[in-house]
Structures are given as C-alpha cells and as structure tokens.
C-alpha cells in the first residue's frame, strides 16, 4: 500500500474520491431518467417531435452557453487559487454564481411561459394532448426540475466556498473543498450537455 | 445493553466519551463503533416488528378463509413486512452494523473516512424509518402494493403509497452514503503494509457491496421519485391509461432490486468467510478465488434483473438473455461454497453456537441458491413464478442466508463488541429451535409453490391447507428460538463472563485489541506484514 | 497534501476548452436545424459525448488525476451503457 | 410434480427434475462432506489443523464443471420454453379479459363466458387483455402463466390434453380481492365443446344494465342478492335512503339516478356509511353516459320486482 493518510488529519485524495463517488451516484440517478426518456422516445417518436417544438431553442442555447462559461470560470478559479491569486479566484467564483443565477432566471421565465400556456402536467390543455406529448412535457419538467434543483444546491455550495476563500480557509495548499465544489458544478454542466439536445433539439 | 460495562476496562468505547453523557453521548458520537451499535439496536427493533407481522400473516393463513384479519389488512401486512425486512433490516443489516463496527478495525484504521457523514447516514436512516412507520397510520391506510410497488397498481391504489415510496427513497439515500464512506475508507485508510490482497475477506465483501450500493441505489431512487410524480401529476411514465409502460417500471425497479439482493448476501458471505477459518484454525482456502468471486457477483449481478420478469411480456430475446446471465451469476456463489467447505478440510473444528449458525447458513444458502436455479430456467420459472416457491426461495436465502449470517456474526463478535461471553449452552439450544422452526416454516412452501399456490394470497383453496398448516406451526417454533437467542444475548451483555481479547484465537486485526475496543481502536499505528488468516 | 506534482491548468487552456465546447454546441444546433431525423439525433448525441469527455478530462481534471479516478469513471460509464443496451434487448426485440 | 394436463406439462416437469436432481446431488453431497469434516476434524479428535496451500487446478475445476452444468440447465430450460412462444397457425383464439377481480373469455363467435371451456387435444391461443392493472393468468395444471399488462398485447398458448376441470388463478398481485380472482377451465370432448359453443350463452344476461355490471366486474364487489362483499349490495338500492359521508359530514340522500351516477363517476365523494373510501375506483373513463342509463334502468327494474 503506497500511501497511508493517517499521519495527517487531512486526506485530500480521499475527499476527492468521496466527491467523485457521489457524482457517480448522481450520474446513475439521471441515468435512470435518461433510460425512461430513451424508451419513451422510441415509443412516441412523432409526439416527442411535435411537443419539442414548444420549447424555445434560443433560450436553451443561451442556457447552454451560460453553463459552459460558468463551468470554465469555476475551473479557472482553481487555477487562481493554485497560483495564490485570491482576488482573481473570488472574482471568478462571483462570475460563476452570477451565471448560475442567470440560468435560473432564464429557467424561471421559461417555466413561467410554459405554465402560462398551460403546458404543465395535469393542466387542462396538456390533458387534451396525445399521450406522447403529455409524457414529453412531464419528462421536460421532471428532468429540468431535478437539474434546476442541482443548480440550487450547487449555488449554495459555491457560495459557501466563496466565503471560505474570503476567510482564508481555502489556501493554495488546501483547496480540496473548492475542487469538490467545482466537480459538482461540472456534473451539473455535464447533465445539461445531454439534456439540451434531447429536449430542445429533437424537433 | 450498555450499562455496567465501564468496569470492563477503562477507555473502552462504551465508556463516556466527549461532551455529552448518556443517551446524548450515543446520539452525537461519530465513533464508528457507537454508530454500529446504534444501527444494531434499530435493526433489532425493526426485525422484531417485521417478524411479528410475518407471524400474524402465518396465523391468518393457518386455515383457509378469513381468520383474524381481513384482506385489506393482510395486503397491508405483507407490504409492510416486505418493506421493513428489505429496506430496513437486511439491506442495512450486516453492512451498517458489523461493517461500521469492524471494517475500520479490520483494516487497521481509527475510524471510517468520513465519520460525520457516517452519523448523518444513520440519521437519514432514522428519518426514512420514521416515514415508513408513519405510512402505516393515518391517511388512507397502510400501503397495499407489495414491496415491489408495481405500476399501475401503485399508481391507482388510494392507500399511503406515496409515503411508503418516499421512505424507501430516503432509506436508499442512507445506504448510498454508507457505501460511499466504505469505498473511500477501504481505498484510503488501510494500515501500512496491508496491500489489497492482504485485506481480510469481510472488508473485501463490503467493498464489493459498497459499489453496488453506490451504483444501483440511485436507479431505484429516481424510479420511486417518478412514481411519486406520477401519483401527484399523472404524467404517464408508467400508467398505461396515459400511454405509459408498466414494464418499464419493472425494469427500473429490478435494475436496482436484483443487485440489492447481493447487497444483502455479499456481507453475509464475508462474515462466513471470517468465521470458518477461525473455528477451523486454518488458512482460508482460495483467498483470491473468494475475492474475485465477490467482485464477479457484484459485476454480473447487475445484469440479471430481468429474471423477475420472465412472464411479464418482455421480448423473447430478453427472456433468453436474462436467463443465461442468471445462470452465469450462480457460478461465483458456487465457488464460494466450495472454498468454504475446502477450508474445513483437515482443520481443527470447534463447534459452538457461532459455528452452528454458520453451517446452517451454508446449508440454507445452498437450498435457496439451488432453487434459484429452477427459478432462473425459463420453462420452470413460468410455472413457479409468483408462487410460494419464490417465497420459499427468498426466505431461504434472505432469512436462512443473510439472517443466519447475522446471527452468526452477532455471536462471533459479541465478545469483542460487549466485552463479555454469551452463554454457550443456551445459545446452542436457541440454535436448534431456530433451525428446526425455520425448516418447518419454509420448507413446505416449496411444495405449496409447486402445487401452484400463488403468493400474496389472503385466502387459498382447500388443497393447499396441509402445507400452510405445518408452515404456520413452524413460525411459532421459530419465534421461540429467536426469543431464546435474543434473551441470551441481552442477559450475557450484562452478566456474561468477561471476555479475553481473542477468545476464538482469530487472526484478523480486531482480535489484537482489547475487548471491548478502546475509543480509537489502536494505540499505535498498525503495520501489517502477514496475510490475514496466517495460522502456523 | 497532494501526491506528486500538482497539475495547474493554465487559464488559457481553460479558455481553449470553452471555445471548443461552444463550437461543438453550435455544430449540434446547426445540424439539427438543417436535417431533422434520427440521423441528426445520433450526431447530436455523439457531439454531446465529445463535449462530456472534454468537460470530464479538462474541467474535471480527470486527465491529470490518479489512475483510480479514470478507472472508476470508465467503469461507471461502461456500466451505464451496458444497462441501456440490456434494457433495449427488450424494446428492440418485441 | 403434480398433475399435469397440457402439452407443456411434461417438458416443464422434466426440466424441473433435471435441475432438481443435480441440485439434490450437490446439496446432499456437500452437506455430507461438511458434516463428515465436522465430525472427523473436530477439535477433540484433530487438535492441530494442517495448513493446506491453495490449489489453482481445483479452483478451475470447480468453476468449469458447474459452468458446464448450468449451461446445460439454461439450455434445457430454454428449449422447453421456446415452443411456448410459438403458436401453431391452427390454434383456436380466445380473448381473455382479466380485471379487478374476475375473468371473462370471449370466443370467436362473440360468445362471452366466465368459464374457459375448451376441447381436449386442440391448440388454443389466449389473447390476454387487462383494462385496469396487471393480472397474470395462471393454470397450475397446465404449467403456464403470462401477465396481462394493460396497454400491451400478451398471449399464451397450449394444448389441453386431459379432460377435466382445472383452476385458473391470478398470479400477479392486483389489489384487494387478488386471491379471490379465480375461474375454472373445463376441458371437454370436441363434440361437447361444439355443442356448448353453438348454444346461446346463458351467461350474457338479457338485461343490458346487468351485462354492463358483470362485464365491468362491478359484481365482484357488489352482490345482487343482498350479501355484503367489498361494497354495499345492489339489492334494493334504487330509491332507498342512503346514509353517506361527504367531507366527513354525515347526510342522507335518496338513491336516484343522479346519486348513482355520482357514485360511479366519483365514488370517493360520498362514502356509504360503513365502507372505506378508496376501494372503488372512479369509472369516469370506463363507463359511458349510456351505460349509466342502462345500469340505472336495471336497478329501477329490480326495485319494482315483488320481493
Ligand atoms: C439475498 C438475497 C438473494 C440471493 C443471494 C438470491 C440469489 C439467486 N436468486 Fe433470488 N430472489 C430473492 C433474493 C435472493 N436471490 C428475492 C428476495 C426474490 C423475490 C423478489 C420478489 O419478487 O419479491 C428472488 C427471486 C428470484 C427469481 C425470480 C422468481 C420469480 O419471481 O419468478 C429468480 C429467477 O431467476 C431468482 C434466482 C436466483 C439465483 C439464480 C440466485 C443465485 O445467485 C444463487 C446462487 C447460489 C447457488 C447456485 C447455491 C450454491 C452453490 C452450490 C451448492 C454449488 C452447486 C452449484 C451449481 C452446480 C450451479 N431469484
Ligand atoms: C429478512 C427478510 C424476511 C424475514 C426475516 C421474514 C420472516 C418471515 N416471513 Fe417474510 N417476506 C419477506 C422478507 C422476510 N420475511 C419479503 C421481502 C416478502 C415479500 C413481501 C411482498 O410480497 O411484497 C415476504 C413475504 C412473506 C410471506 C408471503 C406473503 C404472501 O405472499 O401472501 C409470508 C407468508 O407466510 C411471510 C412469512 C414470514 C414469516 C412467518 C417470517 C418468520 O421469520 C417470522 C417468525 C416470527 C414469528 C412467528 C413472529 C411471532 C412474533 C411474536 C409473537 C412477537 C414476539 C415479539 C417480541 C419478542 C418483541 N413472509
Ligand atoms: Cu388479478 Cu391478481
Ligand atoms: Cu433477482
């Protein structure tokens, strides 16, 4: 056994490993959902096609860009901490948080629009649609909703890390927490990378 | 069980430690041993509740027709019995109790990798269990879907299915966090010199289990969330009246729940693999084969879920593929059985309560496993699917296997955990009654199943009454044995003889430290040079 | 305490990855606009996989991490893929 | 095994005995070895254990031999199963509807029966259909079982080859009266069958309302003769005073046509005293306006009869 971590109280690799394993469970959580999506789409090919027209590709694309950029900024903030540039790191995290917020605002208007047009599960209009289309909107709300929930959790995590950096708890030789927050945020991005084409682009 | 023990030796984990005293000291402790004991207590309570429900069911089935409870109550009972037993007793069972207590010690660590997370998992478990208990009362009555929550009945049923499903979801979360913790612990905290292939086999089995917990549980998590969404918003994932696909639900459910049966049995196999070498004073036979078979079970076990759906209307190709894979997964189990028995060859065998439970584990696991083969073959499955044959199969494996391994483990490690010896004579009497009661209770179910008695039947045709009658008698023999066993353990924890550090002459690390173990397990850093099970 | 050399990814490298990702996003959108059908979905998924790999390897540092992490991640994605395939044994052969 | 009365019984039983025999061999063999070791190498008799090295050859042997054995088992099971999915072209087709909680069997000539009558020695294909939840048609004596999944067409086939009467059971849990969801299959000679087949079915009642009640399995919960099943009896319902709970408030209503309509479409709104909510599902998509009219007409006609 190459390394025992006992002699020091901190085990960065262990903590990173914990985070990765957590990410794997999240991947499988969404994996199950993607499986349902795949089977349903195979069954209701046409309906999905039609229903997806109701989604706004532009909004989706903007959100994709927002998430990709935020993913980059949080990755960069690790570089900044490693280079001992505390202020740059804080700024980058600030940008990440802002972008996350922008994503949520976008989502809010998107959902709001759908709900305004009565395109939510159980509404009178949706119930008149074909089964496949109802299911599409169900999946749309379920998947993006679960994703949005992860965004909120991610934002809380990043906010916490932000203050840890500010108070010098996270330093160039001790930034695992930041890295874990980053990993979590990238997971959110990773899932969106698949959600976007599957929900918005199959028209 | 815990008072009186401070006299044993100073500094044991049972003594007051840290800020809080008494019960609060237990509820806030992040010590892996204390958390293990917390799980033990909860699981014992839930086990007795589940077992009581099973007993009432058997009482009802004593004779055909309505006896003591009505059909709705009966349906609620087997659902709750299943939920409690599966999600609250056998899945956390060995891993959370003995895994928590002994995994760090056996790999020479002071604690698990994330002690606070560990305590947090226990709290999640308690919350989940509380929700499960809640689902029994109020609202529209106890859930009545069976533990499998098959759609569309689970969507139509007006009972508290949502609450029960939520409970299973929360309990799954606790299981995931425990698994995560164990994987990191095993990767990062092994003592100096303990290479992967010098690690004892119980930690190995926990490692394989932990991966299943981490990678399979989320699937059932999302599925259960979808059931809740379906019940609340009528989306149409699984509800055929909305164009959904009930068979898709079954796929998702069993993608988790088949691997889950290996979550139950792998740690049990690990326990047996520890006990047999100790009581035979012999190096375990085929160490590497046992390690590899654990990993193989975890891997292949992931791909056989469809054998629960052979008559569901799945494609014929799938039926064939799943049947094939099911037979493949039987091989690693067979390898383990052969190696256990080979370990006994030319050993010096000490027969006591622990060993008797282990032997009955092997015997019952063989029966359960071999009948699994008839279930896995397509032609025979069509006949016995969803009959009492299946009920007998899984009680033999889950109770006769995992349950007996749990009993074996608690006897084996009892001196280490509580610092006292159990009463051997009472233990053996208890074993004999438990074993015969078990056989009487479950063996007739195989025959009932072959005769065509379907499961989840509140009432049955008169031709099945003979089997049910014998089986009901067995239930009461069994519970007598269980009561004797539990009584013996509780009494011995207070009044038993003081236990030496290594009463069974074991070789793994837990036997090198005092009984009960001190707070941080080891005084000095542990350095391992030898293989485990090195008997000279 | 990190083991071995700590890898520091430069700001520029991050920037390059982002540009690549944005470029791939643009490709997906145009492709699905130009030709709707099962073909474009395949391409869209392929591109998504490439994007995911980029994020995993660079943003998530997998490329510079210890071997275990790569093995783990590989194992998980493999498992997910196999589960999809095996489930579709049912739906494709009905 | 136990009485087998279809073309599949023999195959299934022999597959079972094949696996069973091998299992018994291993179970008994290994148990004897285990007990022999326990006696022979008991610490009293054998105080010092001998250490034995791992043996690669042995490990391979006991991996490969069981592997071969289970592959045989797999093949046997598959070979017997395969014909179960291949329906011969000349099979007689019967549509089976399984609902909460009774069965009905519809023949090619439109005859509906709640008993499955079949000629001996002729292939039948059962098309399985469920309008509500999953059921599973199981005939133990024929060794066959297949789920009836709502929204999906499943089928099974077999050749009954011994005359007699056999149980049909529901093998997939389907709610409250799952265990009472039984029917019989009667296997008769060809001539008898033809006679039965041609004769006007007495099962379909002349009254349209009663037919609807029976076809929708209302009668599995509501008796017509005054006895209490899951729900209140229909006997004497029409025009009577009903004590019901609405939102926890007790009130009395007269069972007229609007009340009966409400009771069918929204059963959980007003709960008849002494019964639990949630038992009866809402039939708003199943029972049409016209059906309800027919049902009410039937109730009305019953209430006029002298008792
Ligand atoms: C701990 C739990 C556990 C374990 C380990 C197993 C192990 C196995 N199970 Fe079981 N099973 C359940 C718990 C478990 N099962 C439960 C709970 C259900 C019901 C769920 C429900 O519907 O509610 C179920 C249902 C179930 C079914 C579905 C039945 C149905 O509903 O139609 C099937 C079908 O294939 C099956 C097969 C098997 C097989 C082949 C194994 C194999 O892994 C067994 C391998 C073991 C051996 C083979 C014995 C040891 C070996 C020897 C003695 C050597 C000789 C061996 C050979 C020559 C091969 N099980
Ligand atoms: C660990 C798992 C486990 C265990 C230990 C048991 C234990 C028992 N189970 Fe099991 N059972 C399951 C898991 C388990 N079960 C599962 C998963 C199902 C499927 C559920 C489903 O279909 O959804 C099931 C289903 C099931 C059925 C099938 C129901 C049906 O299909 O209709 C039956 C029927 O007899 C049964 C009976 C029993 C009995 C008699 C016990 C006996 O072991 C119990 C022995 C004990 C007694 C006889 C109790 C008497 C107790 C007292 C008098 C109180 C004493 C109290 C104190 C000392 C505090 N169980
Ligand atoms: Cu119908 Cu059970
Ligand atoms: Cu299984």
């Amino acid at each position: 056994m190459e390394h025992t971590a006992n002699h020091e109280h901190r085990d960065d690799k262990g903590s990173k490993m914990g985070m990765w394993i957590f990410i794997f469970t999240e991947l499988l959580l969404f994996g199950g959902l993607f499986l349902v999506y795949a089977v349903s789409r195979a069954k209701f090919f046409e309906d999905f096609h039609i229903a997806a027209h109701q989604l706004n590709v532009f909004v989706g694309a903007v959100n994709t860009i927002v998430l990709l950029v935020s993913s980059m900024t949080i990755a960069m903030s690790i570089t900044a901490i490693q280079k001992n540039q505390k202020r740059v790191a804080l700024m980058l995290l600030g940008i990440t948080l802002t972008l996350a917020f922008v994503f949520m605002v976008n989502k809010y208007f998107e959902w709001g629009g759908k709900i305004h047009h009565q395109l939510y599960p159980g509404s009178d209009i949706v119930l008149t649609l074909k089964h496949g289309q109802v299911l599409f909107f169900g999946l749309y709300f379920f998947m993006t909703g679960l994703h949005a929930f992860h965004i909120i959790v991610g934002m809380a995590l990043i906010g916490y890390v932000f203050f840890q950096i500010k108070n010098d708890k996270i330093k160039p030789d001790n930034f695992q927490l930041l890295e874990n927050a980053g990993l979590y945020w990238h997971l959110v991005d990773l899932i969106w990378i698949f959600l976007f084409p599957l929900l918005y682009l199959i028209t | 069980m815990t008072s009186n023990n401070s006299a044993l030796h100073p500094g044991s984990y049972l003594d007051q430690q840290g800020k809080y005293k008494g019960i609060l000291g237990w509820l806030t402790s992040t010590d892996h041993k204390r958390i293990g004991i917390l799980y033990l207590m909860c699981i014992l309570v839930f086990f007795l509740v589940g077992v009581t429900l099973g007993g009432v069911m058997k009482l009802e089935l004593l004779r055909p027709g309505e006896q003591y409870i009505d059909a709705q109550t009966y349906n609620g009972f087997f659902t709750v019995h299943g939920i409690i037993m599966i999600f609250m007793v056998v899945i956390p069972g060995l891993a959370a109790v003995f895994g928590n207590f002994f995994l760090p010690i056996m790999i020479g660590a002071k604690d698990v990798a994330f002690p606070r997370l560990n305590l947090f998992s226990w709290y999640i478990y308690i919350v989940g269990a509380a929700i499960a208990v809640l689902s029994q009362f109020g609202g529209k009555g106890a859930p009545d879907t069976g533990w499998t929550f098959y759609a569309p009945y689970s969507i139509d049923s007006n009972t508290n299915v949502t609450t029960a499903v939520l409970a299973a979801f929360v309990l799954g979360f606790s299981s995931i966090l425990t698994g995560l913790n164990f994987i990191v612990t095993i990767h990062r905290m092994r003592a100096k010199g303990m290479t992967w292939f010098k690690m004892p086999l119980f930690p190995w089995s926990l490692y394989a289990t932990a991966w299943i917990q981490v990678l399979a549980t989320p699937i059932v998590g999302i599925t259960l969330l979808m059931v809740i969404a379906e019940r609340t918003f009528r989306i149409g994932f699984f509800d055929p009246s909305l164009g959904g696909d009930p068979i898709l639900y079954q796929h998702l459910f069993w993608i988790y729940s088949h691997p889950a049966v290996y979550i139950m049995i792998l740690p049990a196999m690990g326990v047996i693999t520890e006990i047999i070498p100790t009581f035979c004073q012999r190096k375990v036979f085929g160490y590497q084969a046992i390690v590899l078979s654990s990993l193989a079970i975890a891997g292949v076990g992931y791909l056989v879920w469809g054998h629960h759906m052979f008559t569901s209307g799945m494609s014929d190709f799938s039926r064939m593929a799943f049947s094939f894979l099911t037979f493949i997964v039987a091989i690693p189990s067979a390898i383990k059985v052969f190696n256990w028995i080979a370990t006994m060859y030319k050993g010096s065998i000490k027969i006591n309560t622990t060993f008797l439970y282990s032997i009955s584990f092997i015997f019952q696991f063989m029966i359960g496993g071999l009948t699994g083969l008839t279930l896995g073959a397509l032609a025979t499955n069509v006949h016995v699917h969803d009959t009492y044959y299946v009920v007998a199969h899984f009680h033999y494996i889950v109770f006769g296997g995992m349950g007996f391994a749990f009993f074996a483990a608690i006897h084996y490690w009892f001196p280490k955990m509580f610092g006292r010896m159990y009463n051997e004579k009472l233990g053996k009497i208890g074993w004999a009654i438990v074993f015969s009661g078990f056989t009487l209770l479950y063996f007739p179910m195989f025959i009932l199943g072959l005769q065509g008695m379907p499961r989840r039947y509140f009432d049955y045709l008169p031709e099945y009454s003979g089997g049910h009658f014998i089986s009901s008698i067995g239930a009461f023999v069994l519970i007598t044995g269980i009561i004797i066993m539990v009584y013996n353990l509780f009494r011995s924890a207070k009044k038993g003889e003081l236990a030496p550090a290594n009463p069974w002459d074991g070789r793994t690390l837990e036997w090198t430290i005092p009984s009960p173990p001190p707070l941080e397990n080891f005084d000095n850093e542990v350095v391992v040079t030898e293989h485990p099970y090195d008997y000279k | 305490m990190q083991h071995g050399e700590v890898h520091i990814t430069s700001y520029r490298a991050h920037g390059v990855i982002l540009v690549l990702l944005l470029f791939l996003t643009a490709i997906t959108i145009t492709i699905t606009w130009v030709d709707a059908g099962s073909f474009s979905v395949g391409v869209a998924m392929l591109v998504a996989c490439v994007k995911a790999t980029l994020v995993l390897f660079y943003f998530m540092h997998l490329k510079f991490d210890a071997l275990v992490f790569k093995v783990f991640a590989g194992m998980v994605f493999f498992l997910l893929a196999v589960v999809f395939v095996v489930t579709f044994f049912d739906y494709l052969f009905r | 095994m136990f009485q087998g009365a279809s073309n599949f019984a023999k195959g299934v039983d022999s597959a079972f005995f094949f696996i069973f025999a091998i299992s018994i061999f291993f179970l008994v063999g290994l148990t004897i070895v285990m007990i022999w070791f326990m006696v022979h190498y008991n610490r009293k008799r054998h105080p010092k254990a001998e250490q034995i090295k791992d043996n690669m050859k042995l490990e391979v042997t006991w991996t490969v031999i069981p592997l071969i054995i289970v592959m045989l088992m797999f093949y046997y099971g598959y070979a017997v199963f395969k014909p179960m999915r291949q329906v011969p072209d000349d099979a007689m087709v019967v549509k089976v509807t399984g609902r909460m909680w009774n069965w009905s069997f519809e023949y090619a000539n439109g005859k509906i029966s709640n008993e499955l009558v079949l000629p001996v020695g002729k292939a039948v294909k059962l098309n399985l259909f469920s309008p509500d939840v999953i059921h599973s048609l199981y005939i133990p004596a024929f060794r066959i079982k297949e789920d009836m999944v709502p929204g999906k067409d499943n089928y099974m086939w077999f050749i009954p080859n011994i005359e007699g009467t056999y149980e049909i059971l529901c093998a997939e849990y389907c709610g409250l009266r799952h265990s009472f969801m039984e029917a019989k299959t009667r296997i008769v000679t060809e001539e008898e069958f033809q006679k039965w087949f041609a004769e006007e079915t007495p099962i379909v009642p002349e009254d349209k309302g009663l037919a609807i009640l029976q076809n929708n399995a209302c009668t599995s919960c509501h008796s017509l003769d005054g006895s209490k099943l899951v729900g209140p009896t229909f006997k004497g319902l029409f025009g009577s005073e009903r004590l019901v709970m609405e939102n926890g408030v007790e009130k009395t209503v007269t069972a007229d046509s609007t009340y009966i309509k409400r009771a069918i479409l929204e059963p959980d709104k007003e709960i008849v005293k002494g019964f639990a909510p949630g038992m009866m599902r809402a039939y708003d998509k199943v029972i049409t306006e016209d059906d309800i009219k027919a049902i009410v007409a039937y109730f009305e006609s019953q209430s006029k009869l002298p008792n």
Side-chain angles (χ1 to χ4, degrees), chain A residues 17-200:
Chain A
M17 187 179 281
M19 194 64 210
W20 268 105
I21 293 171
F22 187 69
I23 285 175
F24 295 149
T25 71
E26 295 275 20
L27 280 173
L28 275 124
L29 190 80
F30 277 95
L33 209 44
F34 280 115
L35 190 58
V36 173
Y37 176 92
V39 169
S40 312
R41 187 180 137 82
K43 199 163 150 193
F44 295 111
F45 188 77
E46 280 300 310
D47 286 341
F48 270 45
H49 203 82
I50 296 164
H53 272 294
Q54 298 290 335
L55 301 189
N56 188 333
V57 179
F58 180 71
V59 179
V62 168
N63 265 350
T64 310
I65 295 168
V66 165
L67 269 193
L68 287 175
V69 175
S70 74
S71 229
M72 179 192 71
T73 51
I74 198 165
M76 279 180 166
S77 75
I78 297 174
T79 311
I81 279 291
Q82 284 173 323
K83 292 185 172 171
N84 204 2
Q85 300 164 330
K86 179 175 158 187
R87 294 203 34 195
V88 182
L90 284 177
M91 191 188 72
L92 285 164
L93 279 185
I95 298 177
T96 312
L97 270 178
T98 318
L99 289 171
F101 188 70
V102 171
F103 183 95
M104 287 310 288
V105 170
N106 237 337
K107 192 94 270 154
Y108 172 78
F109 283 112
E110 206 191 351
W111 273 41
K114 294 282 158 324
I115 290 172
H116 183 73
H117 290 105
Q118 293 246 320
L119 288 173
Y120 55 88
S123 79
D124 297 340
I125 293 202
V126 160
L127 286 181
T128 62
L129 295 175
K130 282 238 191 73
H131 287 334
Q133 300 179 22
V134 181
L135 185 53
F136 180 84
F137 287 114
L139 276 167
Y140 164 77
F141 277 102
F142 200 89
M143 291 171 112
T144 56
L146 195 63
H147 181 258
F149 174 74
H150 281 80
I151 298 250
I152 292 171
V153 173
M155 282 170 80
L157 198 60
I158 296 173
Y160 174 69
V161 168
F162 184 91
F163 284 103
Q164 294 282 325
I165 295 182
K166 206 158 170 207
N167 300 338
D168 284 328
K169 292 269 166 46
I170 291 177
K171 293 199 299 285
D173 61 346
N174 180 3
F175 56 86
Q176 193 51 49
L177 191 62
L178 172 62
E179 208 174 329
N180 285 354
L183 285 175
Y184 188 82
W185 193 249
H186 297 310
L187 163 82
V188 173
D189 189 23
L190 212 58
I191 288 162
W192 187 258
I193 286 178
F194 287 93
L195 281 183
F196 172 59
L198 285 178
L199 292 175
Y200 293 80

Side-chain angles (χ1 to χ4, degrees), chain B residues 89-134:
Chain B
V89 177
V90 287
I91 287 182
L94 285 163
V97 177
F98 298 102
N100 258 323
F101 201 109
F102 287 105
L103 169 66
I105 305 184
M106 287 174 94
I107 62 173
K110 286 192 159 62
D111 207 325
V112 293
F114 309 112
R116 266 178 302 169
L117 186 70
N118 201 12
L119 183 63
F120 184 56
S121 317
W122 181 76
Y123 275 104
I124 298 180
Y125 172 78
I126 287 301
V127 170
I131 300 176
V133 171
L134 208 71

Side-chain angles (χ1 to χ4, degrees), chain D residues 149-180:
Chain D
V149 182
K152 185 175 183 310
D153 303 322
N154 278 354
Y155 66 88
M156 61 168 39
W157 83 276
F158 56 90
I159 306 174
N161 53 18
I162 302 177
E163 282 172 50
T165 305
Y166 307 98
E167 303 290 345
I168 298 177
L169 302 167
C170 175
E172 183 63 61
Y173 177 68
C174 54
L176 187 59
R177 289 178 69 79
H178 162 61
S179 57
F180 299 98

